[in-house]
Amino acid sequence: MAGTITRAISAGIAALDRMQAGDGSFPFFTRLETTGWKPCGRLFSTAYIMLGAGKMLPRDGIARAAGFIASQRGADGLWEYDPAINVPPDSDTTACALAALLSHNELPDRDAEARLLRTFWRADAGRFRSWNASGIWSLPERDDPVVNCNILYALKLLGSPATAEETFAVSGFLRTSRPPRYYCAPSTIAHAARRAGLGHDALPSFATAAPAETDLMGCVQWLCGMQKADMKRVDAVLAAQQVDGSWPIRPWVTGAGQPRPFWGSSAITTALAVEALASAQSSSI
């Protein structure tokens, strides 16, 4: 089994390398419930991939991804999910972009970057908000558990980890949270929490519940969030790998609206599958 996982990881990284564009970005697509997939802005897919399996790419690929992410930064220091959808810059995209840039040491003033992220703190509720914008964007219902974990992870990498008060407050938010508003799989919370250094005691039961073996995105993110490998779900991930070494596109991120929008790409699925298999392999040693 160890050899099979190693070969699958190697093939997945090779496929991810082939998917990377010359400008360093990775494909990203969007669709409505009633339509097919169409290309969209590549920033968030690129940043998220570089938080995990992207670190296994050749050094040139890492450098090009960092260059692309840095080129997308706004004058206010923030990043937008996708300018085409006319949504204000958000804390999740900004946190993931900052964390990704650290893989290539592209942030000379890390204290300033940490202060930037902390401007999203919602003091009256004890958690990080998704947007520092007026109107509907400021509503507390838009605060998301995965977003909060991603901010804690970025702060940790920036050398300014969450304070005891911030950790306590965010942990309380996670325990009482609903499924993530912007991520399709509840297990994304477990993945983000593990990356942020939070234990399972800070999570609601739905976030750590084992997904169905047919739920590919649920399985890969659940395996990324667990401390111990589950071979049934490892086998399911291995079985879903395609001949070219990639994994198929699946809905990964969602949003409000009717019909409901989704985002994803084969590059995202592949990166998460590689990370899941690597995590399972290391936890089974």
Side-chain angles (χ1 to χ4, degrees), residues 56-83:
M56 304 180 197
L57 289 165
R59 292 176 63 87
D60 173 65
I62 294 173
R64 286 188 290 115
F68 174 78
I69 294 167
S71 74
Q72 302 299 299
R73 192 170 201 177
D76 57 1
L78 303 174
W79 279 266
E80 293 179 74
Y81 181 80
D82 183 355

Side-chain angles (χ1 to χ4, degrees), residues 10-282:
S10 180
I13 290 297
L16 199 60
D17 185 33
R18 292 192 299 271
M19 283 187 260
Q20 188 176 22
D23 65 0
S25 67
F26 289 92
F28 208 30
F29 298 89
T30 186
R31 71 170 176 85
L32 301 176
E33 287 179 305
T34 54
T35 65
W37 293 103
K38 62 179 182 179
C40 63
R42 292 173 162 232
L43 171 63
F44 196 62
S45 57
T46 303
Y48 211 93
I49 285 169
M50 297 313 296
L51 299 186
K55 297 174 184 176
M56 304 180 197
L57 289 165
R59 292 176 63 87
D60 173 65
I62 294 173
R64 286 188 290 115
F68 174 78
I69 294 167
S71 74
Q72 302 299 299
R73 192 170 201 177
D76 57 1
L78 303 174
W79 279 266
E80 293 179 74
Y81 181 80
D82 183 355
I85 61 176
N86 198 30
V87 171
D90 64 280
S91 60
D92 196 23
T93 305
T94 298
C96 290
L98 289 171
L101 286 178
L102 286 164
S103 67
H104 196 60
N105 199 28
E106 293 283 330
L107 298 170
D109 192 347
R110 299 187 181 195
D111 289 342
E113 306 292 7
R115 289 194 298 272
L116 177 67
L117 283 179
R118 285 192 163 99
T119 64
F120 288 90
W121 182 250
R122 193 188 290 276
D124 60 342
R127 59 181 183 257
F128 291 95
R129 63 176 71 224
S130 297
W131 281 277
N132 266 341
S134 60
I136 61 171
W137 305 109
S138 66
L139 295 175
E141 68 189 47
R142 292 181 178 272
D143 300 343
D144 184 278
V146 176
V147 174
N148 272 254
C149 290
N150 288 341
I151 294 173
L152 293 191
Y153 177 58
L155 288 172
K156 180 173 66 173
L157 293 184
L158 287 165
S160 183
T163 64
E165 291 79 9
E166 288 170 337
T167 301
F168 180 80
V170 170
S171 295
F173 173 51
L174 294 183
R175 288 191 196 96
T176 59
S177 68
R178 297 177 179 178
R181 180 184 178 97
Y182 300 109
Y183 291 85
C184 296
S187 57
T188 311
I189 298 177
H191 182 194
R194 182 179 181 184
R195 194 159 50 198
L198 299 177
H200 286 176
D201 60 332
L203 305 182
S205 58
F206 66 78
T208 57
E213 294 165 39
T214 54
D215 178 4
L216 178 58
M217 292 304 283
C219 284
V220 294
Q221 293 183 108
W222 187 78
L223 288 169
C224 288
M226 295 298 106
Q227 302 293 330
K228 184 178 180 181
D230 177 278
M231 297 317 297
K232 286 185 178 180
R233 283 157 187 84
V234 169
D235 287 342
V237 173
L238 290 171
Q241 189 172 27
Q242 302 178 127
V243 175
D244 66 355
S246 69
W247 277 263
I249 187 172
R250 291 288 187 273
W252 171 55
V253 175
T254 186
Q258 293 296 328
R260 190 179 179 190
F262 296 97
W263 288 265
S265 74
S266 178
I268 282 287
T269 313
T270 298
L272 288 169
V274 166
E275 186 180 354
L277 293 176
S279 176
Q281 188 175 53
S282 63

